[in-house]
Amino acid sequence: MENKRQSPNQYSSRPNQNSSVNTKTKKKNSRSSKASIMLIIGVTVIIVLIIFVSSTLFSPSGGNVGENAVSVSSQKTGFPLSFPVGIDDVKVTDSSIYVASRNSVTCYDLSGTKSKENIFNYASLAIKTSDDYAIIYDRQGTSFALMNVSKIVYEGKSSDGEYINSAFVCDNGNFLIASRSSKAAGMLTYYSKSGEVLFQWLCANDYIVNCAVSENGDNIVCSAINAKSGEMYTKVYYFDIDKSENNKEYVFDSAVSIDCFFVSGRSVVCVCQDRRILIDFSKENYTPIEKEYTSEILKQASDKDGNTAVVRKKDDSFDKSFLSVYDSDNNILYECDLPDDIKDICIRSSKVYVLTDDAVYKANKTLSKYSELTSVNSSIVSGKRKIYCYTSGILNRLD
């Protein structure tokens, strides 16, 4: 496997079996062979569940398309925007809105004026954005596309034709693809915006589920999952593209990664189903800071400043929920009780917006009503200056 900037298998901090790309092992007997097959099937099911859980905790839920919905192609400007084929996801940057539907991504400016619609023949379309770019990929296929508001910049397929698990796009258009591999359990490939491979690494034993690139573009992190003796674990891998001797990894038992991202410099947050973990990869012999959640998680959302909002069941109640907001240092910024009928949450600059059946609330140490709603919405997303609510067929802006 060619690596244009470093050896993909080198770990100077701690040698490990995962860093090897040689996956050929001798079967000792038929029992171990069957056990291996069952483990692979089990982990594959878990990866599918992670995609589902991630879409539940971090992405919009569905609804019914309104009877008065009109074709998006006939509606050029203004809110509400209607999508008769449904809305799968909405991403809002500082200058643009990307709406992902069943087989297309449509771009708008912040006033709701349509600029471009691109059609993708993907089985399960997913989208990640930076300030100026979006990476579109097929979670049940091998295809991906880099685009901005005006055009498709580059289209391609995963390196060895295996399914894509996750992706990340940088502000300069470089992007990262985490896929399965025919040569190993997972593959991580870092591209320039023109499609040149800048870095590639094979993960022999673990299945990569999340990935990110640092702000300066020199460092990569990914989280991977697997099981040992019937217990799930998460590994967080860190790569310094130019100095492989700085590469490191951490293992977290009984944890399933949902997201990972850089918060500053070489500090990384890994959000799991039961805890939030902060790792500073610039320090030697560092002990990660783990904050375990005390009850069932209902919703999670993170912003680009490294803050994470966690909605969980209140310890002493069956039907009450509670909000905790963590900062980039993994300290709790504030906590408060929430209304009973929460549909969705979003967070921006540590402020949390909570969607219910009839209103949007704003949490910033205290909870206050932000806007009354005249229709039922299923999801909420925050822009730089506005909040957007949507069902599966209608996108509206709260003014």
Side-chain angles (χ1 to χ4, degrees), residues 26-37:
K26 295 182 179 180
K27 298 179 181 179
K28 294 182 179 180
N29 51 52
S30 60
R31 181 177 300 176
S32 63
S33 175
K34 291 179 181 178
S36 298
I37 293 172

Side-chain angles (χ1 to χ4, degrees), residues 64-129:
N64 295 320
V65 179
E67 293 180 357
N68 60 344
V70 297
S71 172
V72 66
S73 61
S74 66
Q75 187 170 342
K76 298 294 184 181
T77 184
F79 293 95
L81 301 173
S82 301
F83 299 81
V85 296
I87 299 174
D88 292 332
D89 199 2
V90 176
K91 303 293 186 186
V92 181
T93 70
D94 287 351
S95 60
S96 307
I97 301 169
Y98 294 84
V99 181
S101 295
R102 182 188 306 163
N103 61 350
S104 69
V105 174
T106 309
C107 303
Y108 299 86
D109 65 19
L110 298 183
S111 68
T113 300
K114 179 181 173 182
S115 59
K116 183 70 174 178
E117 181 180 7
N118 292 300
I119 305 300
F120 299 96
N121 187 25
Y122 291 175
S124 178
L125 188 151
I127 179 171
K128 299 286 184 69
T129 58

Side-chain angles (χ1 to χ4, degrees), residues 139-300:
R139 287 180 296 198
Q140 294 181 21
T142 63
S143 300
F144 61 82
L146 176 71
M147 63 178 290
N148 56 28
V149 294
S150 59
K151 64 180 181 180
I152 294 177
V153 179
Y154 179 82
E155 289 186 275
K157 292 183 178 294
S158 59
S159 289
D160 57 355
E162 297 292 329
Y163 281 6
I164 298 171
N165 290 335
S166 187
F168 182 89
V169 61
C170 306
D171 289 340
N172 65 358
N174 291 351
F175 59 96
L176 188 62
I177 298 291
S179 63
R180 305 176 199 180
S181 174
S182 60
K183 305 176 183 68
M187 176 182 286
L188 199 63
T189 309
Y190 184 37
Y191 297 87
S192 71
K193 68 178 181 180
S194 61
E196 176 190 1
V197 175
L198 303 175
F199 172 89
Q200 192 168 72
W201 174 72
L202 288 174
C203 189
N205 299 316
D206 302 321
Y207 298 84
I208 304 169
V209 290
N210 299 291
C211 57
V213 182
S214 62
E215 187 174 0
N216 62 12
D218 293 335
N219 309 116
I220 293 171
V221 68
C222 72
S223 58
I225 63 168
N226 210 330
K228 183 177 181 181
S229 300
E231 183 178 51
M232 292 297 302
Y233 65 81
T234 286
K235 275 191 180 181
V236 179
Y237 294 95
Y238 168 87
F239 304 93
D240 187 324
I241 296 177
D242 294 319
K243 296 179 180 179
S244 60
E245 62 270 19
N246 293 332
N247 294 353
K248 297 177 182 178
E249 67 181 68
Y250 285 88
V251 182
F252 302 95
D253 294 330
S254 303
V256 177
S257 173
I258 296 172
D259 196 16
C260 68
F261 48 87
F262 283 88
V263 290
S264 63
R266 289 188 276 175
S267 293
V268 169
V269 163
C270 180
V271 180
C272 297
Q273 92 290 0
D274 65 343
R275 74 196 80 168
R276 189 179 188 268
I277 305 165
L278 174 66
I279 312 169
D280 189 343
F281 285 101
S282 67
K283 298 178 180 179
E284 295 295 331
N285 301 318
Y286 177 79
T287 300
I289 300 173
E290 299 185 53
K291 293 294 179 68
E292 293 189 3
Y293 307 144
T294 58
S295 56
E296 178 188 354
I297 299 303
L298 302 176
K299 295 285 182 181
Q300 293 194 65

Side-chain angles (χ1 to χ4, degrees), residues 276 291 293 299-303 305-312 322-338 345-354 362-367:
R276 189 179 188 268
K291 293 294 179 68
Y293 307 144
K299 295 285 182 181
Q300 293 194 65
S302 296
D303 62 21
D305 297 320
N307 304 298
T308 299
V310 178
V311 178
R312 64 182 192 270
F322 191 73
L323 172 70
S324 298
V325 179
Y326 297 84
D327 65 13
S328 58
D329 294 321
N330 229 16
N331 298 314
I332 293 180
L333 279 175
Y334 59 89
E335 296 180 312
C336 62
D337 291 323
L338 292 179
I345 65 168
C346 65
I347 181 171
R348 188 179 182 94
S349 300
S350 76
K351 299 178 182 65
V352 179
Y353 298 88
V354 180
K362 178 181 177 181
N364 185 15
K365 297 186 178 180
T366 59
L367 188 70

Side-chain angles (χ1 to χ4, degrees), residues 53-65:
V53 170
S54 297
S55 64
T56 301
L57 295 179
F58 288 94
S59 302
S61 54
N64 295 320
V65 179

Side-chain angles (χ1 to χ4, degrees), residues 371-391:
S371 178
E372 296 278 357
L373 298 177
T374 57
S375 60
V376 176
N377 293 269
S378 59
S379 302
I380 187 171
V381 62
S382 174
K384 187 175 182 179
R385 297 181 180 87
K386 300 291 184 180
I387 303 299
Y388 303 81
C389 295
Y390 58 100
T391 65

